C-alpha cells in the first residue's frame, strides 16, 4: 500500500473508520485498470464505469485527442440502483475499473470501505480549476480521490404567472417566502407555496442555512443532524406545515407534476438539474415559470444550497493514477465535451473555466425565455465548502425520509425527525466500529 494513502486514510477518513483498508492494495492488478506504465505518461488503458447521458460520446472524443491513453467506457446501472454495489464488489475482487462516476454524497462511504485511491500527488497542480465546494466534495483531509464533474447549486423555481396575478415578486428572504405562502393559499384552498422535501433536497436547505450533518474531529466522526442550525431550518418548515400551506403531493409524484403544471404548487426550491425535471414532467406549465435566487435567512446575503453533484473517482487498484487523472480532469474541463454534457445530461460545471459555455447562455422558452443559468452561475460560487457527507448516507437518509415524511404529513414533528435520525446515525456508526464524538 502506498505510504501516502496509509497516512491520509489513517488520519483523515479516520482511524475512526478503521477503514478496512488492510486488504485493499493501492497498486494491485486490476482487470479494469491501466495496463502499461502510464505513470510516465507514455501509454495506458483504462476502464470507466458510469451512467450519465453523454459519457460514452465524451470517451470517444477523449480517445481521439489522447492517442497515448485508451479509455473504455462501460455503462452501469445508476449508483443507487446497483452501480455502486457493483463498484464495491469489483474493488473487493481486485478487478475494479480505474475510473467510476460517484456522487458527492457517496464518496465518503466509498473512502470508508477502502474503495478510493488518492491522486493528490498527480493532481494538485490542477485543483485551482475547480469551485471550492466541488473540490471539497472529492477531498478528505489531504487526500484527493478524483475530479468534481458537476455541482448542483440551488435556486427558487417559481410560477411567475401565478406570482404576477397576485402582485408578488420573488422573495428576498425566508420571512417573505412565509408571508407569500399565506397569500397564495388564501387565493385558493388548493394552492400551495411548495411541497415536501426529503433526503438530499432537504439537505440543500440545511446547507444554505450554514448547518452541517457530519464532520471529522480528531480521529472520530461528528454527527450534527440535530444541531441548533439544523433545528432552525426544521422549525421554519414546521411552521409552514402548521400553517397548512404545504401541498400534500410528494416531490416526483404525478400529483406533484400536475400541481406544477396547473399552478397549484407555486415554487420549488431546487438544484439546477430540477429545470429538466420540471420541464419534462410539467409540460402544461411551459412559459409560466421563472428562476430566482434562493430566499435568504438574512436580507442582503447570497448563500446557496447544493443538492447533488458527482465526481470521476479513481478506484482502489488503479495502476495509472496519472493517466486516470488526465482523463478525469479533461472530462471536467474540456469546453466542447462539457457543452455536450450540459445539453445531454443537464450537468452544471464544477470548473471555473466553463461558466461562459454557449449552452449556459441559451434562453429557455419553458422559463419565459429567461437565461436561467445566469441565476445558477453566482449561486454556484455562493455554496459553502463547509459541508461533509457522512460514511453511512444510505442509512441516514432512509431514517430521515421516514421521519420527515411523518412530519410533512402532520403525524410527527421536524424536531423529532432530526433527533431520531441523529440517534440512529450515531448508533449505526458505532455498530460499524467507527469512532464518534459528541
Amino acid at each position: 500500500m502506498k505510504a501516502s494513502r496509509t497516512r491520509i486514510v489513517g488520519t483523515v477518513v479516520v482511524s475512526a473508520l478503521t477503514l478496512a483498508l488492510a486488504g485493499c492494495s493501492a497498486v494491485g492488478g486490476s482487470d479494469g485498470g491501466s495496463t502499461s506504465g502510464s505513470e510516465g505518461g507514455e501509454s495506458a488503458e483504462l476502464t470507466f464505469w458510469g451512467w450519465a447521458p453523454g459519457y460514452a460520446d465524451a470517451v470517444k472524443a477523449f480517445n481521439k485527442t489522447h492517442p497515448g491513453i485508451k479509455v473504455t467506457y462501460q455503462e452501469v446501472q445508476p449508483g443507487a440502483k446497483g452501480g455502486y454495489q457493483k463498484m464495491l464488489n469489483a474493488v473487493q475482487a481486485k478487478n475494479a475499473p480505474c475510473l467510476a462516476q460517484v456522487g458527492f454524497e457517496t464518496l465518503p462511504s466509498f473512502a470508508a470501505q477502502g474503495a478510493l485511491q488518492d491522486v493528490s500527488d498527480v493532481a494538485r497542480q490542477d485543483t485551482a480549476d475547480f469551485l471550492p465546494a466541488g473540490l471539497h466534495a472529492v477531498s478528505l483531509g489531504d487526500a484527493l480521490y478524483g475530479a468534481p464533474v458537476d455541482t448542483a447549486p440551488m435556486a427558487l423555481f417559481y410560477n411567475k404567472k401565478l406570482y404576477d396575478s397576485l402582485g408578488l415578486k420573488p422573495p428576498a428572504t425566508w420571512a417573505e417566502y412565509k408571508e407569500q405562502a399565506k397569500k397564495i393559499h388564501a387565493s385558493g384552498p388548493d394552492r400551495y407555496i411548495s411541497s415536501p422535501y426529503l433526503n438530499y433536497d432537504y439537505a440543500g436547505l440545511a446547507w444554505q442555512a450554514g448547518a452541517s450533518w457530519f464532520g471529522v474531529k480528531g480521529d472520530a466522526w461528528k454527527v450534527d443532524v440535530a444541531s441548533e442550525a439544523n433545528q432552525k431550518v426544521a422549525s421554519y418548515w414546521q411552521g409552514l406545515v402548521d400553517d397548512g400551506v404545504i401541498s400534500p403531493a410528494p416531490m416526483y409524484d404525478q400529483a406533484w407534476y400536475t400541481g406544477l403544471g396547473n399552478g397549484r404548487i407555486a415554487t420549488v426550491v431546487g438544484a439546477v438539474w430540477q429545470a429538466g425535471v420540471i420541464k419534462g414532467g410539467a409540460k402544461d406549465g411551459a412559459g409560466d415559470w421563472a428562476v430566482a435566487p434562493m430566499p435568504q435567512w438574512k436580507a442582503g446575503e447570497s448563500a446557496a444550497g447544493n443538492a447533488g453533484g458527482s465526481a470521476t473517482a479513481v478506484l482502489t487498484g488503479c495502476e495509472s493514477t496519472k493517466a486516470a487523472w488526465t482523463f478525469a480532469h479533461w472530462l471536467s474541463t474540456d469546453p466542447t465535451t462539457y457543452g455536450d454534457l450540459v445539453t445531454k445530461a443537464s450537468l452544471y460545471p464544477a470548473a471555473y473555466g466553463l461558466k461562459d459555455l454557449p449552452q449556459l447562455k441559451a434562453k429557455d422558452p419553458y422559463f419565459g425565455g429567461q437565461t436561467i443559468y445566469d441565476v445558477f452561475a453566482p449561486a454556484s460560487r455562493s455554496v459553502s465548502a463547509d459541508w461533509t457527507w457522512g460514511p453511512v448516507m444510505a442509512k441516514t437518509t432512509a431514517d430521515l425520509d421516514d421521519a420527515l415524511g411523518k412530519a410533512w404529513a402532520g403525524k410527527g414533528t421536524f424536531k423529532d425527525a432530526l433527533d431520531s435520525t441523529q440517534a440512529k446515525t450515531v448508533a449505526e456508526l458505532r455498530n460499524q466500529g467507527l469512532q464518534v464524538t459528541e
Side-chain angles (χ1 to χ4, degrees), residues 361-422:
K361 298 299 181 182
K363 294 182 179 180
D364 194 320
Y366 187 95
F367 295 98
Q370 183 182 4
T371 306
I372 65 170
Y373 292 111
D374 285 348
V375 177
F376 290 106
S380 69
R381 288 152 179 77
S382 298
V383 175
S384 171
D386 294 331
W387 179 277
T388 298
W389 294 110
V392 291
M393 288 312 304
K395 170 68 172 171
T396 298
T397 54
D399 290 333
L400 183 66
D401 281 0
D402 180 61
L404 279 181
K406 295 174 183 176
W408 287 114
K411 299 178 180 178
T413 69
F414 284 78
K415 183 181 186 305
D416 288 345
L418 298 188
D419 289 343
S420 64
T421 302
Q422 168 92 13

Side-chain angles (χ1 to χ4, degrees), residues 5 9 20 105 230 254 269 365 435:
R5 181 173 174 77
V9 171
E105 75 290 336
N230 277 293
Q254 183 54 52
V269 187
Q435 294 184 36

